[in-house]
């Protein structure tokens, strides 16, 4: 069993195959999965509030998830529990599931789902004290077909307590997508390791309490698979505030001066997007960088310098679009001589000139470059310039920007966000911060899923804030991009969560989070929970 690592669906399939090669066949894994599932169902029958004579119904699909259910049915039967099985999609379709069906104790009542809610299957669901969802597991994708909709509606309406096997049915274990009809489980018993989709929205809200259990996959099956997918080591960042402070915050020497904490150059803003440049620069300062120089259009500089007293401003040339032109590149590169990082893109605007400017900066920057928003959009036509980069590059795309970077539709990216983010990171040797309600950070074969945050961040300005924070940390320390990105995402997410304990997520503004940040960092420095 893997406790701290997340597996993708492809990795889980690879594990199963390797397990077979190592002498533990699929039938044995299913036997273990069914037995473990039965054990958790039994514990649940003994939980407070459960009746003395529990009745369990197992809803079995035609794949191996259904097979797990049939093995569990036998164990429950042997333990004296009243158990019935509903075959929801006809007879088992895989060899292993078929084998499990053959071995199903003949005394167990088996019924078929037929879409008619006046029939026995529907009564079994509404009468049982525990409904076990083994309809679909990791093999599910797409939508729940019309013929099965009455089953899912009935289950979600009438089931008293639902235990899902491996993953709630209707939830896509790869993407975290889930339609409204997906099974809402009270408990999900998942095999061997958490699957990526269970951590992502909306799927995570369907899983209830997640229990990971061992099914005897040999340890050696977890590594060394030739599948590209298996190179990804994904982990969830569920650090407590104490761990975050102790592990990730660097100490500040009392004799430090502004140069100790680095200079950050921000090539941000355009006449239309003034605020984005201000937010990213403020976020960088709030996160502790020594000095911020904002290079932007005359209008942006005039507007921001009236309030942002802590920054240095450099006026760049712009054209009729109100965006900076590419002939600023040399001037910006000269400003990098004493800088430690370069942030490009927040409010930059996207024109043929910004495309040339971004390409030249990415190619020639001697310091790490953080590209966000229109910095990313402007990079897309010349993306291969990343192969000529001289320094570290971090990209912070939302799903639409990730889709453009990968040359596919947004829908396609959302069907397997980790794979696209990872592929891009690997191809260009860069760090990808794939933003969404859960952020996936991919960097050199390691992937971290950050779940901190809430809808207070679902507003214009959050992306600029995050980019500024990452850039700030990059300018301050030489440590890995992965750690800087995790820290920035966690701090932003936790600030939003803490602020939301006292006020509605609806009305919290980026500036509120920025103002609260030093208080939250103080809390992290104190090393308290
Ligand atoms: N991978 C492993 O190591 C193990 C897997 N096991 C179980 O096997 C499960 C995976 O089994 P399978 O790959 O057979 O897949 P599932 O049992 O999830 O079933 C997939 C079936 O549903 C169909 N299907 C997919 N999407 C559909 C849709 N939108 N509408 C209607 N039908 C749809 C597929 O055609 C296939 O027949 C796991 O979740 C787990 O429960 C366990 O038996 C133990 C070991
Ligand atoms: K299931």
């Amino acid at each position: 069993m893997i406790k701290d690592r997340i597996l993708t669906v492809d990795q889980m399939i690879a594990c199963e195959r390797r397990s077979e090669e190592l002498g533990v066949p699929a039938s044995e894994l299913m036997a273990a999965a069914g037995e473990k599932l039965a054990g958790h169902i039994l514990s649940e029958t003994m939980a407070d509030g459960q009746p003395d004579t529990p009745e369990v119904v197992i809803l079995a699909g035609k794949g191996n998830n259904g097979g797990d259910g049939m093995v569990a049915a036998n164990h429950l039967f042997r333990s004296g529990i009243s158990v019935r099985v509903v075959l929801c999609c006809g007879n088992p379709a895989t060899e292993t599931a078929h084998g499990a069906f053959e071995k199903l104790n003949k005394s167990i009542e088996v019924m078929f789902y037929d879409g008619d809610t006046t029939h026995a299957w529907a009564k079994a669901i509404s009468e049982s004290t525990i409904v076990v969802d083994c309809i679909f597991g990791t093999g599910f994708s797409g939508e729940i077909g019309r013929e099965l909709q009455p089953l899912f509606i009935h289950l979600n309406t009438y089931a008293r307590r639902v235990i899902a096997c491996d993953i709630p049915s209707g939830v896509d274990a790869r993407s975290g997508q889930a339609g409204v009809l997906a099974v809402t489980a009270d408990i999900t018993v998942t095999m061997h390791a958490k699957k990526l989709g269970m951590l992502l929205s909306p799927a995570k809200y369907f899983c209830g309490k997640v229990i990971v259990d061992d099914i005897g996959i040999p340890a050696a099956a977890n590594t060394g698979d030739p599948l590209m997918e298996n190179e990804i080591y994904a982990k969830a960042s569920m650090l407590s505030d104490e761990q975050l402070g102790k592990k990730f915050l660097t100490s500040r020497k009392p004799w430090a001066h502004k140069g100790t904490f680095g200079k950050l150059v921000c090539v941000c803003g355009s006449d239309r997007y003034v605020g984005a440049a201000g937010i990213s620069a403020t976020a960088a300062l709030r996160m502790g960088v020594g000095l911020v120089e904002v290079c932007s259009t005359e209008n942006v500089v005039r507007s921001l310098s009236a309030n942002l007293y802590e920054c240095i401003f450099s006026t760049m040339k712009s054209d009729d679009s109100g965006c900076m032109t590419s002939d600023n590149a040399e001037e910006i590169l000269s400003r990098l001589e004493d800088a430690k990082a370069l942030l490009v893109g927040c409010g930059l605007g996207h024109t043929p000139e910004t495309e040339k400017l971004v390409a030249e900066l990415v190619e020639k920057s001697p310091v790490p470059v953080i590209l966000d928003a229109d910095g990313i959009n402007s990079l897309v036509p010349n993306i291969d310039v990343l192969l000529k980069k001289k320094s570290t590059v971090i990209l912070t795309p939302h799903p639409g920007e990730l889709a453009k970077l990968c040359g596919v539709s947004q829908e396609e990216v959302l069907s397997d966000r980790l794979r696209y983010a990872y592929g891009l990171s690997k191809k260009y040797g860069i760090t990808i911060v794939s933003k969404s309600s859960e952020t996936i950070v991919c960097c050199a074969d390691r992937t971290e899923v950050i779940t901190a945050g809430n809808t207070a961040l679902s507003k214009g300005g959050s992306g600029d804030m995050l980019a500024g924070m990452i850039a700030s940390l990059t300018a301050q320390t030489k440590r890995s991009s992965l750690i800087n990105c995790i820290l920035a995402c966690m701090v932003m997410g936790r600030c939003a969560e803490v602020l939301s304990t006292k006020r509605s997520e609806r009305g919290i503004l980026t500036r509120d989070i920025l103002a609260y940040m030093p208080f939250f960092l103080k809390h992290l420095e104190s090393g308290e929970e």
Side-chain angles (χ1 to χ4, degrees):
M1 178 168 72
I2 311 179
K3 272 207 172 133
D4 58 345
R5 188 178 161 184
I6 308 161
L7 293 187
T8 64
V9 171
D10 299 300
Q11 285 175 328
M12 190 63 205
I13 293 169
C15 269
E16 190 185 26
R17 203 182 53 232
R18 290 262 300 147
S19 178
E20 187 121 29
E21 287 162 12
L22 292 162
V24 185
S27 55
E28 265 181 49
L29 297 179
M30 186 177 281
E35 187 180 350
K36 291 295 171 77
L37 176 64
H40 293 289
I41 299 166
L42 269 175
S43 316
E44 197 51 27
T45 61
M46 289 176 238
D48 285 348
Q50 286 294 319
D52 293 339
T53 50
E55 294 202 21
V56 177
V57 62
I58 309 262
L59 306 178
K62 63 180 176 180
N64 290 337
N65 198 249
D68 294 349
M70 283 180 268
V71 175
N74 280 344
H75 284 283
L76 293 171
F77 183 79
R78 279 199 290 274
S79 304
I81 302 282
S82 160
V83 57
R84 290 178 277 184
V85 171
V86 178
L87 293 181
C88 302
C89 311
N91 286 317
T94 71
E95 207 183 313
T96 339
H98 186 72
F101 184 53
E102 294 273 283
K103 287 190 199 140
L104 188 67
N105 193 303
K106 299 291 174 268
S107 304
I108 297 175
E109 187 186 351
V110 176
M111 50 196 103
F112 282 85
Y113 164 76
D114 61 0
D116 188 334
T117 51
T118 62
H119 286 175
W121 65 267
K123 247 181 139 192
I125 290 175
S126 44
E127 280 173 357
S128 294
T129 47
I130 293 176
V131 174
V132 187
D133 159 29
C134 305
I135 309 168
F136 296 124
T138 50
F140 176 86
S141 62
E143 309 274 323
I144 293 160
R146 271 180 95 96
E147 67 294 349
L148 283 177
Q149 289 180 4
L151 169 68
F152 282 77
I153 293 169
H154 193 79
L155 193 167
N156 277 330
T157 313
Y158 296 106
R160 284 184 237 175
R161 197 138 181 88
V162 179
I163 300 181
C165 171
D166 210 22
I167 188 155
S169 298
V171 160
D172 187 323
R174 202 178 287 269
S175 67
Q177 287 170 4
V180 281
L181 290 182
V183 170
T184 307
D186 296 291
I187 296 172
T188 296
V189 178
T190 201
M191 312 309 166
H192 188 57
K194 278 189 189 164
K195 318 299 174 307
L196 173 70
M198 306 173 91
L199 278 99
L200 304 180
S201 294
K204 67 179 183 186
Y205 297 103
F206 290 80
C207 296
K209 178 181 160 196
V210 175
I211 299 170
V212 186
D213 212 336
D214 186 29
I215 53 168
I217 291 180
N222 297 323
T223 51
D225 193 273
L227 258 189
M228 181 273 277
E229 293 284 352
N230 226 27
E231 292 173 22
I232 313 170
Y233 185 95
K235 196 166 143 282
S237 266
M238 291 181 200
L239 298 164
S240 64
D241 289 354
E242 187 189 3
Q243 290 167 319
L244 193 62
K246 282 194 180 142
K247 276 174 85 171
F248 286 59
L249 272 192
T250 47
S251 60
R252 287 164 73 93
K253 302 279 182 284
W255 54 87
H257 52 85
K258 66 175 185 280
T260 316
F261 303 120
K263 174 182 150 185
L264 169 69
V265 172
C266 300
V267 178
C268 294
S270 57
D271 290 1
R272 183 152 184 241
Y273 304 115
V274 178
I279 291 170
S280 52
T282 310
L285 288 163
R286 289 280 191 214
M287 206 62 203
V289 74
L291 197 62
V292 173
E293 176 168 358
V294 177
C295 298
S296 199
T297 68
E298 194 179 343
N299 284 339
V300 173
V301 169
R302 195 180 313 119
S303 169
L304 290 185
S305 53
N307 279 307
L308 250 175
Y309 307 133
E310 299 84 355
C311 292
I312 305 172
F313 291 94
S314 294
T315 304
M316 298 287 119
K317 285 174 242 165
S318 57
D319 58 19
D320 292 346
S321 68
C323 298
M324 285 177 264
T325 48
S326 59
D327 53 359
N328 292 301
E330 205 176 316
E331 169 76 20
I332 294 166
L333 289 167
S334 75
R335 309 251 159 209
L336 293 178
E337 274 164 24
D338 58 347
K340 292 284 193 294
L342 169 65
L343 170 63
V344 183
C346 308
L348 183 73
H350 180 190
T351 67
E353 282 296 302
T354 61
E355 288 177 5
K356 278 200 246 168
L357 177 63
V358 167
E360 194 165 343
L361 293 177
V362 167
E363 183 181 339
K364 295 184 180 163
S365 174
V367 297
V369 186
I370 296 88
L371 280 184
D372 183 48
D374 276 336
I376 294 174
N377 291 325
S378 298
L379 173 74
V380 170
N382 307 306
I383 189 163
D384 282 343
V385 77
L386 286 169
L387 298 169
K388 298 191 210 160
K389 66 181 170 6
K390 295 195 173 44
S391 190
T392 308
V393 173
I394 300 172
L395 264 53
T396 56
H398 59 51
E401 289 158 355
L402 183 59
K404 282 189 206 158
L405 285 164
C406 297
V408 298
S409 69
Q410 186 167 325
E411 200 184 19
E412 175 60 26
V413 151
L414 288 175
S415 72
D416 204 345
R417 194 154 57 94
L418 185 143
R419 192 163 68 83
Y420 281 104
Y422 174 75
L424 202 63
S425 155
K426 180 123 179 136
K427 179 171 178 189
Y428 293 109
I430 56 177
T431 298
I432 299 290
V433 180
S434 167
K435 299 180 294 194
S436 195
S437 39
E438 292 78 32
T439 296
I440 298 177
V441 183
C442 290
C443 172
D445 295 344
R446 289 190 77 86
T447 288
E448 200 96 12
V449 180
I450 294 119
T451 56
N454 58 28
T455 64
L457 298 168
S458 313
K459 274 195 187 93
S462 305
D464 306 315
M465 176 162 56
L466 181 67
M469 293 166 74
I470 293 172
S472 175
L473 292 168
T474 307
Q476 289 174 66
T477 64
K478 279 204 163 69
R479 66 185 173 191
S480 84
S481 300
L482 183 74
I483 291 186
N484 286 333
C485 293
I486 294 170
L487 180 58
C489 293
M490 288 288 296
V491 168
M492 185 173 83
R494 289 286 299 129
C495 278
E497 286 173 4
V498 178
L499 274 182
S500 307
T501 56
K502 295 249 165 65
R503 0 181 175 164
S504 163
E505 292 168 27
R506 292 164 210 272
I508 294 172
L509 304 183
T510 307
R511 71 184 70 171
D512 300 328
I513 295 172
L514 287 170
Y516 181 64
M517 212 170 280
F519 296 93
F520 184 72
L521 290 171
K522 182 78 186 163
H523 159 65
L524 289 191
E525 286 160 5
S526 75
E528 287 164 10
E529 244 325 287

